[in-house]
Amino acid sequence: MSSEKNKPLTPLVLRFHHLLCLPLFEGKGYSDGFSENMAGIKRRAESTEENITFICDFDSVCKGCPNKSEAGCLLNEDGKEKTEDKDRYIAGLLGVEEGFSADYKTALKTAEEKIHSDGFFKICGECRWYRAGLCRFDKWRDKVEKIIKT
Ligand code: SF4
């Protein structure tokens, strides 16, 4: 009988806009389960060179989120820009297509080169975590720099 420890890891899949959220994540989330899952993904992405597939749909982070529903992300419902549109916008800035694959640091390096303060604000400006003061462009850049250098 194989133990949990020996179970192969499910490949990491990230939606593009989570390249902005993950570096800034400091433990606060939509539920305890969400935060635990996101912290594990952040640790894993930062400590390995495995390839991640980037998409514009539910991903490994969404898996643990109470906003994930059959009808889509519940955050779409209050008239905000659809989360999928945010992903497509970031993919466009990066100059890549859905299904792009790269290790986390390489993807972050590209994001750092291509995403400027106006693009960051367009995606994050309406988000509750931005409004709560947890996320800022300069802070994102600092975090990305640190991750890339480790
Ligand atoms: S389900 Fe929506 S709110 Fe939850 S992590 Fe995914 S995109 Fe974010």
Side-chain angles (χ1 to χ4, degrees):
M1 196 171 71
S2 67
S3 71
E4 272 297 304
K5 221 174 146 190
N6 295 329
K7 248 169 85 176
L9 287 171
T10 312
L12 271 184
V13 178
L14 287 182
R15 57 192 317 155
F16 284 97
H17 88 261
H18 282 159
L19 281 170
L20 302 180
C21 311
L22 263 185
L24 285 162
F25 176 70
E26 289 177 346
K28 286 206 166 58
Y30 300 107
S31 68
D32 289 348
F34 172 90
S35 300
E36 204 180 302
N37 179 50
M38 182 126 167
I41 289 168
K42 183 176 165 69
R43 268 196 308 275
R44 180 173 159 190
E46 289 179 9
S47 64
T48 66
E49 291 181 359
E50 69 184 276
N51 268 359
I52 298 171
T53 304
F54 291 87
I55 59 167
C56 304
D57 205 341
F58 289 134
D59 67 356
S60 305
V61 173
C62 301
K63 231 179 189 178
C65 183
N67 294 318
K68 182 175 186 256
S69 83
E70 296 239 330
C73 173
L74 294 179
L75 293 192
N76 289 343
E77 283 185 0
D78 54 7
K80 284 184 200 154
E81 192 177 14
K82 279 190 165 188
T83 46
E84 291 82 359
D85 292 339
K86 291 185 178 191
D87 297 316
R88 284 190 275 272
Y89 179 74
I90 296 293
L93 290 183
L94 266 50
V96 299
E97 302 283 333
E98 183 164 17
F100 165 71
S101 170
D103 65 85
Y104 188 54
K105 289 181 187 175
T106 302
L108 281 182
K109 227 179 258 177
T110 309
E112 192 196 18
E113 283 164 18
K114 306 274 172 96
I115 300 173
H116 303 291
S117 56
D118 50 345
F120 181 92
F121 186 74
K122 180 174 163 60
I123 294 306
C124 303
E126 292 294 311
C127 174
R128 68 185 267 188
W129 307 112
Y130 184 91
R131 282 189 266 119
L134 294 175
C135 307
R136 290 293 178 267
F137 178 67
D138 290 348
K139 195 171 162 189
W140 176 74
R141 296 231 357 157
D142 289 349
K143 298 259 186 190
V144 167
E145 286 282 309
K146 273 193 197 125
I147 294 166
I148 288 171
K149 281 186 190 141
T150 54

